[in-house]
Amino acid sequence: MFLESIFATTNQKLSKKEKAETKEDASEDNLEEQIAIDVEGAKPKGGTIKPGGRQDALKELAQRLGDALDTKAHIKLTAKKGEIKIEFATMQDLFRILDKFGIERNL
């Protein structure tokens, strides 16, 4: 209670300029603290890939698919849909991949 009355009295005696400077100092301190957290390794926004998690499993499956097709493959999964991307360089390369799937080509 005693400390509260001292702070209240001190706060009443501060001029508007001093109050503004105090707020500015507090904002700077807060900014410096936030920068320190960011630099020291706070969690990045947007989620992280955990070892052994879904993203690692999808990368492994994409690697296996690419190995089976002798090309690069990518697998992407969102909350609403998934996507598989298979890269090829030429039409002949595309036909080779289609043959592995057993898809008849009519081109």
Side-chain angles (χ1 to χ4, degrees):
M1 184 80 170
F2 176 71
L3 289 176
E4 290 174 3
S5 63
I6 290 174
F7 287 127
T9 306
T10 305
N11 198 23
Q12 290 172 354
K13 292 180 182 178
L14 292 176
S15 69
K16 288 182 181 180
K17 183 178 178 182
E18 290 170 327
K19 287 180 182 179
E21 287 174 357
T22 303
K23 284 183 181 179
E24 186 176 317
D25 289 342
S27 295
E28 287 177 12
D29 290 343
N30 189 16
L31 180 60
E32 288 171 357
E33 181 179 323
Q34 186 61 42
I35 290 170
I37 289 171
D38 290 344
V39 169
E40 292 173 3
K43 280 188 173 181
K45 291 183 181 179
T48 59
I49 297 175
K50 298 174 188 169
R54 182 178 289 175
Q55 291 299 318
D56 282 344
L58 291 175
K59 284 182 183 180
E60 175 66 27
L61 288 173
Q63 181 66 42
R64 286 186 188 172
L65 180 60
D67 290 346
L69 299 174
D70 296 322
T71 190
K72 286 188 178 181
H74 306 275
I75 300 175
K76 179 177 152 183
L77 180 64
T78 64
K80 294 188 179 195
K81 65 177 184 170
E83 181 179 298
I84 297 175
K85 178 180 168 186
I86 301 169
E87 295 182 11
F88 61 92
T90 64
M91 288 300 289
Q92 193 172 22
D93 198 22
L94 173 62
F95 292 149
R96 180 188 58 75
I97 294 168
L98 292 175
D99 288 343
K100 287 196 178 210
F101 279 113
I103 298 173
E104 189 177 322
R105 45 189 156 129
N106 295 327
L107 298 176

